[in-house]
Structure formats: C-alpha cells, structure tokens
C-alpha cells in the first residue's frame, strides 16, 4: 500500500526557529498531505513518532527540534537519546522517521544567531521532504519488483 500522508512532529522549545523546518517541508510536500503534531521538546519526539508510525497512516514521519546547551544538562546526551529513539521507532515499525534536529555546539540567543538557525531549519525541512519522497519512491520500486521483494 502506498501512503501519501506524512506526519511532522515539532518541538515547542524554540518554536520560532523550529517551526521554520515545517515551512521548508511544506515547500515540497503539499500541506493537505501533512499532519502536524506539537510536543514540548525533543525528548518527547521518539514516543510520538512511534505512536504515529504504528497507525499505518504515514509514508514517513519528520521530527524537528533544536537541542541547545542550556547549562543545566548535557545537550549532547539529549540529542543522542533523541536520535537513537527516532531510529528505533523507524526500525521497530518499518516507517521512515526522519530527524530534522540541530544541536549547535555554542548557541547564543541573539537576533543574528536566531536568523541563521531559522534559515538553516528551512533547508533542513526541505531535505527531510526530499528524503521522505525518495524513500517512498524507492520502497514502491522494491514492492513492485517481485524479484527484489523475495530476496
């Protein structure tokens, strides 16, 4: 079965920046094919992605977050846990789960840096859309070729 719906999960932490990834994603995939889900932060994305994947409704799920060093906890720990969780959700369900997350080493909340990250998130959103479409196309080719599917 070929799905034409996509899910986009976005963390509300730094939403002014993270929301730009959805903007980029929607430049390539029509909004009427995308269901958008908000979560508090990056750490919650793997569970929601897995729940969405289990519905069987989506060709791919993109998850966007900005994980920064807030000085209280190690952002690299959170970033690694999120990426591992997204990969596991994908492998456990067979639905592509794409990471549109940035983990800048030195984040300064200035207008200049916010503009740079916002612009970069638009590009990351487009990349995720391209990846989702390519994966869907490749999987359709595999399913259509009995010789490949049997291997």
């Amino acid at each position: 079965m070929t799905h034409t719906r996509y899910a986009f999960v976005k963390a509300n932490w730094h939403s002014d920046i993270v929301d730009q990834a959805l903007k980029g994603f929607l430049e390539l995939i029509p909004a009427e094919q995308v269901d958008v889900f908000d979560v508090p932060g990056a750490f919650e994305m793997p569970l929601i992605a897995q729940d969405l994947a289990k519905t069987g409704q989506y060709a791919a799920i993109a998850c966007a977050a900005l994980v920064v060093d807030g000085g209280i906890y190690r952002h690299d720990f959170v970033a690694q846990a999120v990426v591992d969780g997204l990969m596991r959700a994908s492998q456990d369900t067979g639905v592509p789960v794409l990471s549109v997350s940035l983990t800048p080493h030195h984040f300064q909340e200035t207008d200049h840096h916010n503009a740079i990250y916002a612009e970069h998130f638009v590009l990351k959103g487009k990349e995720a859309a391209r990846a989702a479409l390519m994966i869907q196309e490749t999987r359709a080719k595999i399913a259509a070729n009995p010789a490949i599917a049997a291997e």
Side-chain angles (χ1 to χ4, degrees):
M1 179 177 194
T2 302
H3 298 285
T4 58
R5 296 212 60 73
Y6 300 87
F8 197 97
V9 179
K10 56 189 181 66
N12 284 331
W13 188 255
H14 293 288
S15 62
D16 53 329
I17 297 171
V18 174
D19 288 354
Q20 298 308 304
L22 176 60
K23 180 180 171 184
F25 194 81
L26 296 177
E27 286 183 22
L28 298 178
I29 297 178
E32 56 272 5
Q33 291 179 264
V34 180
D35 295 327
V36 180
F37 301 89
D38 288 298
V39 295
F43 213 71
E44 294 78 20
M45 291 190 313
L47 178 62
I48 298 303
Q50 184 178 46
D51 289 346
L52 291 168
K54 286 179 178 178
T55 69
Q57 296 179 33
Y58 300 105
I61 299 162
C63 297
L66 178 64
V67 181
V68 300
D69 183 355
I72 296 172
Y73 60 85
R74 293 189 43 184
H75 72 293
D76 53 337
F77 166 77
V78 173
Q80 188 64 53
V82 169
V83 170
D84 289 347
L86 295 177
M87 181 60 68
R88 191 160 126 217
S90 182
Q91 291 174 332
D92 288 352
T93 64
V95 176
V97 178
L98 309 168
S99 175
V100 188
S101 299
L102 292 179
T103 58
H105 186 62
H106 296 290
F107 177 75
Q108 296 174 2
E109 206 156 343
T110 64
D111 290 342
H112 176 71
H113 278 179
N114 288 348
I116 290 169
Y117 292 123
E119 183 178 324
H120 192 65
F121 261 103
V122 172
L123 295 175
K124 293 285 289 180
K126 284 183 194 178
E127 288 174 1
R130 280 189 203 100
L133 294 169
M134 182 182 286
I135 291 167
Q136 183 181 15
E137 181 181 319
T138 301
R139 292 182 100 185
K141 286 179 184 176
I142 292 169
N145 186 335
I148 293 173
E151 291 180 4

